Amino acid sequence: MPNPPTSRDVARLAGVSQTTVSYALTGRGTISAATRAHVLEVAASVGYRPNLAARSMRTRRTGRLAVVSGPTLDHQVRVLAGAGEVAAAAGYALETRTVDGTVEERTARVRELAAAGEHEGVLTLVPVLPDVLTDPAAPTGERPERTVVVAETTFDDHMRSVGDLADAGPVAEFVETLLAAGHRRFLHVAGSDQYASARARRDAYLAAVDRAAAGPATRDVVSLGVVGGTWSPEDARRAVHDLPSDAPPLAVVAANDLLAAGVLRGAAERGWSAPGDVVVTGWDAAEMGAYLTPSLTTVDVDFTEAGRRAMQRLVAAVRGEEPPPRGAAVARIVWRESTGPLPGHRPAR
């Protein structure tokens, strides 16, 4: 069998010095982001794997990162997958740790993990006390000698989405697009207010309909209010039954796809057609939404991309580089049949 590739081979193929290869793989030294990316791409293409133990002895760097999360849920698995992609591309081995308990107990576990010195950086997806975190204002280019700890506001104490994952921006787009299509009567079916995401969607709905009602061309906009307050599709169905008989034509913004399914069921039981008498939007891009009748307009949140961005910030902190810009929102609307024909929008399958 041929010998495994060496750093000398990577340097030759990348057209750089071995010192530059070392800088790219360890994050030390001063090289451009483009050069580092090029070297890492070449290393990956030939299957080069640095000797992490030897590196650690020479540089006190381990080539290992850790992600701390809570009890694993589907959304969290996708975040971890995205984080793993970026760590691998940057030349790091990634390990995951699951922690539970109070914020003090989680902080103690993260502190122990950092103090062990086995990882160059730790990314925590669960809330911890701020005293365990690396100062984000540290001068660029200065790599701390201790393990870097970065927190992402991704999940709260109960692993419910917060931060970028709770961004409710698409709600305003729902309202604005439906307004442009001629809808003037709106209703929001809310999720549990124990969730930051549900509160954000409710507040975004109220703000959007208030703006619409203040517009000179849309002063006839009426909101039938906010109903629900749980994640139960049965509660959403009952909420539709409680509406006055003259509620349609009505545009319903539901806080997630299960609630939207309950709305569609309740509308059908009342003899209201969808998307004729009632148009409905959901959230979460649940697979079943594409198979409802009508298929459900929804919001697809890219949890994998959120994980990639979180890991990019950790890698930058470990290397003493400027963090990447926050980037565009990780949520996008998937327009389907439940919102009917819309100017400029073709329903997706």
Side-chain angles (χ1 to χ4, degrees):
M1 294 182 64
N3 293 325
T6 66
S7 62
R8 187 185 301 275
D9 296 323
V10 175
R12 176 177 53 81
L13 293 170
V16 299
S17 68
Q18 282 189 264
T19 299
T20 299
V21 172
S22 176
Y23 286 167
L25 295 172
T26 65
R28 300 180 70 85
T30 304
I31 61 175
S32 71
T35 298
R36 175 174 284 117
H38 173 60
V39 171
L40 292 176
E41 182 178 356
V42 171
S45 71
V46 298
Y48 174 69
R49 295 293 183 268
N51 186 325
L52 297 183
R55 178 200 296 175
S56 180
M57 291 176 63
R58 293 192 306 268
T59 68
R60 308 181 89 182
R61 298 296 170 186
T62 67
R64 297 164 65 191
L65 303 175
V67 176
V68 175
S69 63
T72 304
L73 305 173
D74 176 60
H75 290 169
Q76 194 175 172
V77 168
R78 286 184 276 164
V79 172
L80 293 172
E85 289 178 15
V86 171
Y92 292 97
L94 183 65
E95 300 173 9
T96 60
R97 296 287 190 274
T98 300
V99 299
D100 208 346
T102 66
V103 66
E104 291 80 10
E105 291 169 336
R106 292 193 301 270
T107 300
R109 182 67 186 93
V110 170
R111 187 177 287 113
E112 292 170 3
L113 190 61
E118 297 178 359
H119 303 89
E120 295 187 40
V122 176
L123 173 69
T124 174
L125 302 178
V126 294
V128 293
L129 297 175
D131 63 348
V132 77
L133 304 177
T134 300
D135 182 4
T140 300
E142 293 187 8
R143 286 167 51 87
E145 289 305 314
R146 67 183 183 89
T147 298
V148 173
V149 181
V150 171
E152 274 298 310
T153 52
T154 305
F155 300 102
D156 68 9
D157 287 354
H158 303 284
M159 298 313 296
R160 298 177 295 216
S161 298
V162 296
D164 286 350
L165 297 182
D167 175 37
V171 170
E173 186 176 348
F174 279 146
V175 173
E176 291 163 5
T177 302
L178 293 172
L179 276 171
H183 294 279
R184 292 296 183 267
R185 294 168 67 82
F186 290 85
L187 174 75
H188 180 54
V189 181
S192 169
D193 64 7
Q194 293 181 352
Y195 288 72
S197 56
R199 297 193 300 272
R201 291 165 204 171
R202 176 201 63 207
D203 293 345
Y205 166 82
L206 293 172
V209 293
D210 282 348
R211 285 194 301 272
T218 55
R219 288 179 180 169
D220 54 342
V221 167
V222 174
S223 172
L224 300 190
V226 174
V227 298
T230 74
W231 296 115
S232 165
E234 173 61 16
D235 289 347
R237 184 188 73 85
R238 291 176 180 173
V240 172
H241 276 273
D242 290 339
L243 294 174
S245 58
D246 63 350
L250 181 64
V252 180
V253 177
N256 76 356
D257 291 348
L258 283 175
L259 296 176
V263 169
L264 288 171
R265 177 71 180 189
E269 291 172 347
R270 296 200 64 172
W272 297 345
S273 65
D277 298 315
V278 178
V279 300
V280 185
T281 69
W283 196 291
D284 281 340
E287 185 177 3
M288 60 87 181
Y291 299 95
L292 295 175
T293 302
S295 58
L296 183 62
T297 289
T298 187
V299 175
D300 185 9
V301 179
D302 193 341
F303 288 89
T304 304
E305 177 62 18
R308 293 189 191 103
R309 295 181 185 181
M311 182 54 64
Q312 287 167 355
R313 288 189 276 275
L314 177 65
V315 169
V318 165
R319 292 174 171 172
E321 299 173 344
E322 286 283 354
R326 299 297 295 191
V330 294
R332 68 179 184 91
I333 293 177
V334 181
W335 297 100
R336 294 196 181 114
E337 297 165 342
S338 67
T339 41
L342 299 170
H345 296 283
R346 178 179 295 179
R349 293 289 301 272

